Amino acid sequence: MPIEALTDEERADALDSLPDWDYDDGRDAISRSFTFPDFSAAFAFMTRVALYAEKHDHHPEWSNVWNRVDILLTTHDAGGLSHRDVAMAEAIEALVE
Ligand SMILES: C[C@H](O)[C@H](O)[C@H]1CNC2=NC(N)=NC(=O)C2=N1
């Protein structure tokens, strides 16, 4: 079964439930920046996200500069935002709590 992008209604609900994430209209993606006390903490966070990504076969677009990690989530196989991105954003939120 191919992965489907979210419907407009599903997308609106997802964005409501993820208030700290920005919506990128051009990419049909969500993004958020995280800052940590130092590189070590940022990289530890990335390691935890990476483990989630491998387990769920869903991978972030991201970059890291010292204590900052910028994450963008979209589903390449769906050409836009899917339930996989929402699940990953929720998992990331739980990781940083
Ligand atoms: C073959 C493999 O299952 C796919 O390429 C997976 C891997 N990780 C992925 N990650 C993301 N973000 N989108 C995808 O469509 C995707 N597809």
Side-chain angles (χ1 to χ4, degrees), residues 53-89:
E54 272 301 271
K55 185 171 176 186
H56 295 270
D57 192 30
H58 196 64
H59 300 83
E61 296 182 28
W62 58 3
S63 65
N64 160 241
V65 178
W66 186 51
N67 68 337
R68 196 181 80 233
V69 181
D70 297 329
I71 297 183
L72 181 141
L73 303 177
T74 192
T75 301
H76 311 124
D77 296 341
L81 205 61
S82 79
H83 70 277
R84 289 191 176 195
D85 303 302
V86 178
M88 186 170 221

Side-chain angles (χ1 to χ4, degrees), residues 23-40:
Y23 180 61
D24 181 332
D25 209 353
R27 295 282 321 271
D28 193 17
I30 53 175
S31 64
R32 185 175 170 186
S33 286
F34 297 88
T35 51
F36 298 90
D38 53 26
F39 173 75
S40 204

